[in-house]
Amino acid sequence: MSLSLKSIAALAGLAGLASQAIAQPGGETLPYEDPRLQSLATVELTQFAGDHDFRRYLHRVGELAEEWGLYWADDLMSKSKPSLPSWACDDDEGDACDTIVVTGSRIATPNPVITNNQTVGVDEGDIVKQIGDFLVVLQDGRLFSVNLQPDGAPGLAFTDRLDVYVDPERRVWIDEMLVTDNRIIVTGYSYEDQASEVTVLEMDATGYFSRLGSFLISSSDYYDVDNYATRIIDGRLVIHMPYQVSDMDSIDPAGWPVLRRWTSEDGQPDNRRPLFDAREIYRPVLPIIEPAIHTISVCELGRGDQADLDCQTQAFIAGPTSELYVSGEHAYLWTGGSWEGHYADDLPVRGRSCTMRETLTPEMVPPGGIYRMSLETGDLAVVGTRGFPFDQFSFAEYGGQLRNLVALEDAHCAYDSLGDREFDRAITQVSLISIPDRAFSTRFREAASDRYTALPGAESGTGLENRFTGTHLVYGWSVVENGDAPWWDETARKPAHLMMVPLDDPTNTSSLTLTHSLLRLETIDTGLIATGYVHREGLRVSHLTTTDGLQRAATTLLPGRLETEGRSHAFNFTRRADGTALLGLPTELEPGPAFRYWWRSTASELSFLSLDDETGFTALGTLEPLSDDAAEHPDYECEVSCIDWYGNSRPIFTQGRIFALLSTEIVEGGLSGDRIKPVRRVDLTAPLPIRPNRQAASTHTMDGSGAN
């Protein structure tokens, strides 16, 4: 799968989405400063009059891109001339062409939440969920169900396995899963169809799966190494899909995003219907040289034994880079202009000297914007901002305000002319934006400059981690110890610097220097957990509190262990009846790569710790997978999605019990004093048990394939 430019820049050691600035040959302006491009942006959120109006816009942007010598100019020019698909609305057509959207909401029966979600009440797509007494695992493009209460008593029983994919020959990656009631929504991406694939399934009370429907939605790849593409709120699916305008005709011959349903008769997509047309696309509010269509959809999932995607969709033109954040009431999408994330060879470079500045002000930085869609009404609003977020955790909606941690960068500096440290000193400024609810409007306005609070920024060669706690923002970074260390060696960093920012008084910051570097920063109910290294002696884990300034309450060492996964869902915790907390995260013993690479497809161990707020940590040991030779049944074969782009290890706390998902195994652990030991183990690659009264036509084969 493709990787976001954000992740590539982060891996290169810049703080967040560091851009490589560029200048127009023959001048010192950038595309967003071109008055001709600025004239194509609107002040009000205004939709195109129709297909011809939309094509005229593409043609004009294509002309300007051609003048800039950009490689996508020809694509934009060609997309300005295709014939209208049968459903496209021309500029002079009336209300008869309006799209009818089914809306509404249903209150879902809540399932236990076993995912380390960013926002309470907003479940994020992941690789393991719980429905009733069953764990549902997504692995190798398949669903697996495991009964936690076989025969009404605690245990582990492998129950069912079903292929989510329709055809193993198709180039499809099955990525993430959500559940609501007994429904399962699985999202993937097909490069062959250039579409996101959403499959709706059900699990019955005995743990067996049935497929209700599979849908293909035209889009570009949504993959992000940090973020998740889907959310569930009150039984409604929230999904963001990008759509590169330069790919329009290759994504779908008609040139418009469509929703297609797979038919069971021939395994081919059918029932094609448009997701939107030109009259439903909002014009850009920013000068965009590389336009993309972004959609945010809120979808009802059908009723009874029927499955459909009745989606309310908002579509708008913005730059290609984006970041999704979903609160309990709104879906937010930050988008940049087109300036961010490009490498120097994307535009001809003529760098000018950079002035070393103590601080940057917002007006020195290229414009961006945050779109907000109401999950209740579907209304769209926008506000102008400067700078770019580090990830989805750079956002928080509290008390009628959206907070956003951003990096401000002076895009006029040519990165190639400066070393890393000079570059960061010259052009990077970390700022917190506090945006009141009233600032979001259908009229594009920049957030006032007094809404930005300049904060102490990260130094060169850092990866910045950030979390909002409800009352504070905490962020931190680790500096590379020496220039000879490879960028991927996460053990070669100095002790981390952390900053705490009170949201009600962001100028009153406090700081803390850890005894180790900073890999992970997670919130728990009594503060935060930070992980990191001091060279390669092992993983250090710290408990941080915020009640009386930012303080390190406790630190422990897991000797010789390296952290193996970086996603937020790879960490989890629970609070026990005695007041202590249990924590889990994936690790492995040295020797191993000191880098939490996102394509890791071998099983990790799960390290568990106990945390007493008074006495500190107790390392409880690990739950480990079987050896590689014994890990998979010899008759099991992975056919689809065999690289684990979302990781494959998760700590799970449910029903007062402890579980570890270790790739294709689930292990239950039990505590004996201060040590955790395996109690039960299920191999998800083993032959399925015979289902009582199961029809021969719907039996599963040994390799996990089957039909329902």
Side-chain angles (χ1 to χ4, degrees):
M1 302 180 79
S2 65
L3 304 178
S4 65
L5 292 170
K6 170 172 71 70
S7 66
I8 296 173
L11 287 174
L14 300 179
L17 300 172
S19 66
Q20 302 209 8
I22 42 186
Q24 181 185 17
E28 293 183 341
T29 60
L30 288 164
Y32 75 90
E33 297 170 314
D34 188 331
R36 298 169 299 173
L37 198 60
Q38 292 174 345
S39 69
L40 299 178
T42 62
V43 176
E44 293 282 345
L45 283 178
T46 306
Q47 293 165 321
F48 288 97
D51 187 81
H52 289 164
D53 188 25
F54 177 68
R55 303 294 177 179
R56 283 192 295 268
Y57 163 76
L58 294 186
H59 184 80
R60 182 56 180 146
V61 176
E63 288 179 330
L64 296 176
E66 188 174 41
E67 288 188 29
W68 282 83
L70 301 177
Y71 64 85
W72 59 83
D74 289 343
D75 288 332
L76 289 176
M77 299 286 280
S78 66
K79 301 312 179 285
S80 67
K81 298 176 182 178
S83 59
L84 292 173
S86 60
W87 57 74
C89 297
D90 206 350
D91 300 6
D92 58 356
E93 295 190 43
D95 295 339
C97 202
D98 290 344
T99 300
I100 299 174
V101 180
V102 179
T103 61
S105 64
R106 64 186 178 117
I107 303 301
T109 302
N111 288 305
V113 177
I114 60 172
T115 304
N116 180 31
N117 294 313
Q118 180 180 4
T119 304
V120 175
V122 180
D123 200 17
E124 300 165 349
D126 198 28
I127 60 173
V128 60
K129 298 291 179 180
Q130 184 173 351
I131 298 179
D133 289 329
F134 291 85
L135 291 180
V136 181
V137 176
L138 178 66
Q139 177 73 13
D140 297 341
R142 296 175 173 131
L143 289 179
F144 306 79
S145 65
V146 176
N147 193 347
L148 304 181
Q149 297 283 339
D151 302 319
L156 281 179
F158 182 25
T159 303
D160 199 14
R161 176 169 59 219
L162 179 69
D163 297 341
V164 176
Y165 54 92
V166 178
D167 180 358
E169 299 301 319
R170 294 173 59 240
R171 294 176 58 219
V172 61
W173 292 94
I174 309 296
D175 290 322
E176 60 185 72
M177 164 184 59
L178 289 161
V179 298
T180 176
D181 295 332
N182 67 331
R183 294 233 161 148
I184 305 163
I185 302 94
V186 180
T187 304
Y189 188 78
S190 169
Y191 282 98
E192 180 175 310
D193 298 289
Q194 296 199 49
S196 295
E197 184 170 301
V198 178
T199 301
V200 183
L201 309 99
E202 277 191 346
M203 189 182 76
D204 67 20
T206 60
Y208 289 92
F209 300 116
S210 59
R211 183 190 307 274
L212 297 182
S214 294
F215 305 87
L216 291 172
I217 304 175
S218 305
S219 75
S220 303
D221 191 0
Y222 54 75
Y223 179 77
D224 189 304
V225 299
D226 296 315
N227 209 340
Y228 309 94
T230 57
R231 311 287 196 275
I232 279 279
I233 304 175
D234 292 334
R236 293 172 295 176
L237 173 69
V238 180
I239 186 167
H240 163 242
M241 291 186 182
Y243 187 78
Q244 288 293 129
V245 172
S246 58
D247 294 337
M248 283 180 63
D249 292 342
S250 59
I251 285 180
D252 189 85
W256 287 108
V258 296
L259 187 150
R260 296 163 282 170
R261 180 168 183 163
W262 285 91
T263 59
S264 58
E265 290 78 11
D266 58 7
Q268 295 298 315
D270 201 356
N271 304 321
R272 177 189 304 262
R273 67 180 187 263
L275 192 63
F276 55 82
D277 65 27
R279 288 182 29 159
E280 296 167 298
I281 303 172
Y282 285 95
R283 292 175 174 274
V285 294
L286 296 168
I288 305 295
I289 194 66
E290 186 183 1
I293 303 174
H294 293 273
T295 65
I296 304 174
S297 297
V298 180
C299 304
E300 296 295 323
L301 299 172
R303 305 293 193 274
D305 61 355
Q306 301 297 313
D308 203 354
L309 289 182
D310 293 326
C311 299
Q312 186 168 16
T313 297
Q314 295 284 15
F316 45 88
I317 295 284
T321 307
S322 63
E323 195 71 64
L324 176 69
Y325 162 67
V326 181
S327 71
E329 298 180 0
H330 302 101
Y332 294 92
L333 192 75
W334 169 87
T335 63
S338 295
W339 55 273
E340 77 292 326
H342 288 306
Y343 294 102
D345 58 357
D346 280 347
L347 290 175
V349 177
R350 182 185 175 191
R352 65 184 182 187
S353 60
C354 296
T355 302
M356 299 297 178
R357 302 183 178 94
E358 291 298 323
T359 61
L360 282 173
T361 56
E363 59 270 15
M364 300 175 182
V365 178
I370 301 175
Y371 288 83
R372 186 185 74 179
M373 180 178 176
S374 168
L375 301 181
E376 184 63 32
T377 66
D379 292 342
L380 191 68
V382 67
V383 67
T385 61
R386 303 282 174 139
F388 55 83
F390 296 92
D391 52 32
Q392 72 270 29
F393 297 105
S394 300
F395 298 88
E397 183 186 82
Y398 295 122
Q401 292 196 69
L402 177 71
R403 268 76 175 207
N404 182 202
L405 182 69
V406 298
L408 304 178
E409 289 190 351
D410 183 349
H412 293 90
C413 292
Y415 176 72
D416 288 343
S417 68
L418 297 172
D420 285 348
R421 187 172 299 277
E422 282 185 297
F423 179 71
D424 286 344
R425 288 177 57 199
I427 71 164
T428 301
Q429 169 69 57
V430 177
S431 291
L432 176 65
I433 317 176
S434 300
I435 308 171
D437 180 78
R438 64 179 181 276
F440 286 91
S441 170
T442 58
R443 185 174 181 81
F444 181 78
R445 296 186 180 90
E446 290 263 2
S449 59
D450 62 4
R451 289 290 170 180
Y452 293 75
T453 302
L455 300 173
E459 299 177 49
S460 170
T462 68
L464 188 143
E465 297 292 324
N466 60 147
R467 292 294 189 272
F468 286 90
T469 69
T471 57
H472 295 83
L473 161 69
V474 178
Y475 68 98
W477 63 92
S478 299
V479 179
V480 173
E481 191 162 29
N482 64 71
D484 297 328
W487 61 266
W488 46 263
D489 188 352
E490 294 182 322
T491 65
R493 294 186 182 276
K494 294 180 181 179
H497 303 285
L498 296 179
M499 303 299 302
M500 185 174 75
V501 183
L503 298 184
D504 58 358
D505 184 11
T507 61
N508 186 25
T509 62
S510 57
S511 64
L512 173 69
T513 299
L514 294 179
T515 59
H516 54 78
S517 64
L518 183 62
L519 288 180
R520 177 184 296 277
L521 189 64
E522 303 285 353
T523 58
I524 64 172
D525 52 1
T526 57
L528 301 102
I529 297 295
T531 68
Y533 300 120
V534 179
H535 303 297
R536 293 181 76 95
E537 66 179 11
L539 184 68
R540 290 182 180 264
V541 183
S542 291
H543 177 215
L544 312 177
T545 59
T546 60
T547 53
D548 188 19
L550 186 60
Q551 296 187 1
R552 181 175 60 88
T555 297
T556 194
L557 172 67
L558 302 180
R561 298 200 176 272
L562 300 173
E563 191 170 349
T564 55
E565 293 192 21
R567 282 187 176 270
S568 58
H569 292 174
F571 168 88
N572 214 341
F573 88 100
T574 189
R575 186 67 62 174
R576 295 191 286 184
D578 64 2
T580 60
L582 282 177
L583 295 78
L585 73 167
T587 61
E588 70 175 359
L589 276 173
E590 287 223 66
F595 174 59
R596 299 165 299 163
Y597 51 93
W598 52 85
W599 61 88
R600 180 185 177 90
S601 300
T602 56
S604 302
E605 305 164 345
L606 259 294
S607 288
F608 291 90
L609 304 96
S610 174
L611 173 61
D612 185 296
D613 294 339
E614 299 297 326
T615 61
F617 289 103
T618 300
L620 302 175
T622 61
L623 294 178
E624 301 176 5
L626 294 175
S627 66
D628 291 341
D629 293 338
E632 287 191 357
H633 191 279
D635 293 326
Y636 180 88
E637 180 182 1
C638 178
E639 297 180 310
V640 164
S641 203
C642 300
I643 297 176
D644 299 330
W645 295 99
Y646 279 59
N648 59 26
S649 303
R650 298 289 188 270
I652 303 166
F653 304 105
T654 185
Q655 299 185 352
R657 299 158 68 186
I658 305 170
F659 301 93
L661 171 63
L662 306 172
S663 186
T664 53
E665 292 181 80
I666 291 181
V667 182
E668 181 174 0
L671 290 175
S672 177
D674 288 337
R675 302 303 296 173
I676 191 167
K677 298 180 179 179
V679 175
R680 303 177 182 91
R681 187 184 299 266
V682 163
D683 177 9
L684 301 179
T685 69
L688 277 170
I690 297 175
R691 177 179 177 180
N693 301 320
R694 190 174 178 86
Q695 296 291 331
S698 55
T699 56
H700 292 245
T701 60
M702 179 70 73
D703 68 359
S705 61
N708 278 304

